Amino acid sequence: TLPDNSTMTNTHEATLRIPGVSMTASKAYVFSNMASSLLSIGQLCDDGCIALFTKSRVTIIKDNAVILMGNRDPDTKLWVIDLNNAPTMMPMPGPNILQFAANSAIAKETVAERISYLHWCAGSPSLSTWCKAIDSGFYRSWPQLTSKL
């Protein structure tokens, strides 16, 4: 449904040529009354892609490789990706920069001090809740933290 409450129906289905994504993620619908196509970021993210938007650029990453890039149109404020000039899976340099890490510049001498500090950093949840979160892998990037400590 469009902003004026009218609807559009697709005339065809197509498959986009996007390197490294599944057929489901590259499925597209053609609308005869649209000047340009819309890309489903949801479909790409459901397929394991990461979409990074900045004020002026969009980058789509899958398996630590850039698969699509585009610029933001200054007039429409929409991000535009030219699928005819899409990169061919450009690997990102170095280790996976999209991994998360929590680092502390505060030295804690004892294990008890370290656990107390990390518990505080986590927002001081109840110990049972915090242990469940640790066991579920939510603090995987926190070095040496286990619910057994």
Side-chain angles (χ1 to χ4, degrees):
T1 304
L2 300 172
D4 66 359
N5 288 327
S6 65
T7 59
M8 290 192 315
T9 305
N10 66 300
T11 56
H12 300 82
E13 290 186 12
T15 303
L16 301 174
R17 287 177 285 160
I18 303 174
V21 300
S22 69
M23 292 295 284
T24 302
S26 60
K27 186 175 185 177
Y29 299 94
V30 179
F31 296 88
S32 59
N33 48 346
M34 287 187 70
S36 60
S37 301
L38 300 176
L39 185 64
S40 174
I41 298 301
Q43 281 179 202
L44 292 172
C45 290
D46 289 345
D47 198 53
C49 295
I50 297 171
L52 299 174
F53 292 89
T54 67
K55 182 178 178 180
S56 60
R57 307 242 335 125
V58 59
T59 305
I60 309 296
I61 300 165
K62 182 160 185 192
D63 298 328
N64 206 39
V66 175
I67 61 170
L68 294 172
M69 293 186 311
N71 297 305
R72 192 169 188 194
D73 184 290
D75 297 322
T76 65
K77 303 295 185 199
L78 297 174
W79 287 267
V80 179
I81 297 174
D82 183 357
L83 294 176
N84 293 320
N85 294 316
T88 11
M89 303 270 309
M90 298 183 324
M92 298 176 73
N96 185 349
I97 63 165
L98 299 173
Q99 290 177 334
F100 299 96
N103 298 305
S104 170
I106 301 171
K108 296 297 177 187
E109 299 300 323
T110 68
V111 172
E113 287 177 322
R114 188 177 326 125
I115 291 171
S116 177
Y117 173 74
L118 293 174
H119 183 250
W120 178 82
C121 289
S124 302
S126 70
L127 291 180
S128 62
T129 300
W130 196 39
C131 287
K132 285 178 190 174
I134 293 167
D135 292 340
S136 296
F138 291 108
Y139 295 95
R140 190 175 302 127
S141 64
W142 292 25
Q144 301 173 334
L145 181 65
T146 70
S147 63
K148 310 299 182 264
L149 295 174

